[in-house]
Amino acid sequence: MTAGRALALVALLLAAPAAACPGDCDDDGAVGVAELILGVRIGLGDAAVDACSAADGDRSGTVSIGELIVAVRAALEGCPARVAFDEPQRYATGDSPRALAVADVDGDECPDIVAANHGSHDVSVLLNDGGGRFLPQVRYPVGMVPLGIALADFNGDGDADIATANGGSDDVSVLLNHGDGTFAAAQQSFVGQEPRTILADDVDGNGTIDLVVAAPNTAGLPILFGRGNGVFDRAVIGAGFAPWWAALGDVTGDGIADLVTANAESSDLTILAGLGHGGFVGRSRLPLTAPAYSVAIADVDGDGAADLLTGNGGDASVWLLLADGSSFASPARLAVGGGAFPVHVANVDADSFPDIVTANEIDGDISIRLGRGDGTFEEDQRLPIGRSPYAVVLSDVDRNGSLDLVAATGADDEIAVRRQTQTTTENTETKPSFGIAQTKFVW
């Protein structure tokens, strides 16, 4: 390769964003022979060649021997897998959106966004225009300081209704859908002290949707069992100390759904084994070395058993607990951004392997760690999203076959949407996404 060709390549690269893979100067996802030769020339001190921005990790203007070794390894082993998203589209909400959920609320088969605004004590409904962009918000009052939200059909009419967990008024607000994406006035139900997150699912298996509420200052875990007509009956079951989050799934392998709570104050998880028909019994406590503020259930290593993942807030990490026979292996720490609160599992890149996604409140970005299918994950890929992202949901908002990112940026009073630029053909059928409480996906 002549010096002129090398300089032309470098000029092209320096005008473009730095690549994610060391040595991948043209950002095509691979380190080619020409790029490797260029890296060697730079590493050997060829003054006639400027540094490729992708290989020059410390932005010193030169490529060190250590950086050259990393680029050579990338050429031999391949670049890490990654996904690409366009720049954020931003939409105004109420004051400080804290939680969000995505589902088709107006019956047009396009996913819409509903955000819970804990500063203005209301929810914002943003309807999809059919092309992945959203109409201006319509707001509905709920209880004081809504911190969690869920969308599901509470009265059996086929339309997605809204429920919020209101930390300031110690209750749950239920807003029934009129069928066109507009909602009736909120109905309030006392639930417990300072509810934070809410999960909507059929807990007792009777065909109606129930609500599980994590309320850290309440003794036990409140459950509102649905009657199927929008009315609920309250019960409280024993749980861990100060649960911030609850997830539902079969973690004991008996075919019956269990509850898992993330207990921030005691830095542990509690597994409540399901008995069927809405009954649970204390099964086990899984100690952690950092507070767990959220938990997700998914089989990330492909062995058919459910594994557990936690979002650890300011510790900038996710704990991964792989199922190990009748128990779980010791927690393995996976680095993510600072302030990781909700942790979600989804097939972001449509390769059939579950991936990890967190919203990082402190760092103002989203972490994506792509799964390899064996319980290990690629390095953390960080995507800027806005100030104080309290929640993130993944949904195919433009219906092109790829999951997109939807985040509530609390300090900006906005919803930020980053659409994935890589189209896939995997099944990403839109399902109700239970936002900060739970998100369900198809992979």
Side-chain angles (χ1 to χ4, degrees):
M1 180 172 62
T2 66
R5 288 181 62 192
L7 289 172
L9 175 60
V10 171
L12 175 66
L13 271 182
L14 295 179
C21 181
D24 179 18
C25 294
D26 58 4
D27 200 18
D28 66 351
V31 179
V33 173
E35 292 166 325
L36 189 56
I37 292 173
L38 176 61
V40 170
R41 293 185 65 189
I42 299 169
L44 294 177
D46 187 339
V49 180
D50 292 329
C52 161
S53 61
D56 180 19
D58 59 5
R59 300 297 185 265
S60 65
T62 61
V63 176
S64 68
I65 295 299
E67 291 170 329
L68 176 60
I69 292 172
V70 172
V72 170
R73 182 178 294 116
L76 295 175
E77 300 177 358
C79 294
R82 61 189 180 123
V83 283
F85 295 82
D86 64 8
E87 291 302 307
Q89 305 162 12
R90 302 191 182 278
Y91 303 93
T93 64
D95 296 344
S96 192
R98 187 73 179 222
L100 62 89
V102 175
D104 175 17
V105 301
D106 59 355
D108 65 355
E109 299 185 355
C110 297
D112 308 302
I113 300 171
V114 185
N117 307 311
H118 90 287
S120 51
H121 319 301
D122 55 19
V123 295
S124 295
V125 178
L126 294 84
L127 298 180
N128 197 317
D129 69 357
R133 296 182 183 274
F134 295 87
L135 303 178
Q137 63 173 321
V138 177
R139 288 160 64 178
Y140 298 87
V142 293
M144 299 295 291
V145 192
L147 298 174
I149 192 169
L151 301 181
D153 180 9
F154 302 135
N155 60 354
D157 62 359
D159 301 315
D161 308 307
I162 302 171
T164 63
N166 308 314
S169 51
D170 298 339
D171 55 20
V172 164
S173 295
V174 172
L175 295 81
L176 297 179
N177 195 331
H178 288 141
D180 58 359
T182 64
F183 294 85
Q187 306 168 32
Q188 312 297 119
S189 298
F190 171 78
V191 68
Q193 291 186 336
E194 298 185 24
R196 302 195 66 90
T197 59
I198 187 168
L199 161 67
D201 211 325
D202 182 5
V203 173
D204 53 6
N206 68 349
T208 63
I209 297 297
D210 312 304
L211 298 171
V212 181
V213 182
N217 291 325
T218 299
L221 189 69
I223 300 180
L224 300 180
F225 289 102
R227 298 181 185 176
N229 59 356
V231 177
F232 296 85
D233 298 312
R234 179 179 180 269
V236 179
I237 64 173
F241 180 64
W244 276 57
W245 195 284
L248 185 72
D250 179 16
V251 298
T252 58
D254 60 0
I256 301 174
D258 312 302
L259 278 169
V260 181
T261 63
N263 312 313
E265 301 297 329
S266 52
S267 297
D268 59 14
L269 302 176
T270 299
I271 297 176
L272 303 171
L275 302 175
H277 308 293
F280 296 88
V281 62
R283 171 83 174 196
S284 58
R285 171 182 172 272
L286 302 176
L288 306 169
T289 57
Y293 293 96
S294 64
V295 61
I297 302 171
D299 177 12
V300 300
D301 57 1
D303 65 354
D307 309 303
L308 301 175
L309 301 100
T310 70
N312 302 333
D315 186 63
S317 68
V318 168
W319 287 119
L320 170 60
L321 294 81
L322 293 175
D324 182 15
S326 60
S327 185
F328 291 86
S330 298
R333 186 181 187 276
L334 302 176
V336 292
F341 172 34
V343 58
H344 298 297
V345 180
N347 183 15
V348 180
D349 55 355
D351 63 354
S352 300
F353 301 140
D355 311 308
I356 298 172
V357 180
T358 65
N360 308 318
E361 176 189 350
I362 296 173
D363 291 345
D365 56 20
I366 304 297
S367 286
I368 298 177
R369 298 200 60 158
L370 298 178
R372 302 186 180 110
D374 59 357
T376 64
F377 295 84
E378 301 286 355
E379 292 301 311
D380 183 18
Q381 179 180 343
R382 305 279 286 278
L383 296 168
I385 199 71
R387 296 183 302 161
S388 300
Y390 290 122
V392 64
V393 170
L394 291 100
S395 177
D396 183 9
V397 300
D398 52 9
R399 299 190 299 172
N400 71 346
S402 299
L403 288 175
D404 309 305
L405 297 172
V406 183
T409 54
D412 295 327
D413 298 339
E414 290 178 338
I415 294 296
V417 179
R418 295 195 66 164
R419 298 193 294 184
Q420 190 172 168
T421 58
Q422 297 171 343
T423 302
T424 66
T425 58
E426 293 290 318
N427 179 10
T428 50
E429 176 189 357
T430 300
K431 299 289 185 181
S433 299
F434 302 129
I436 200 168
Q438 277 294 303
T439 306
K440 289 192 170 182
F441 303 97
V442 176
W443 61 68

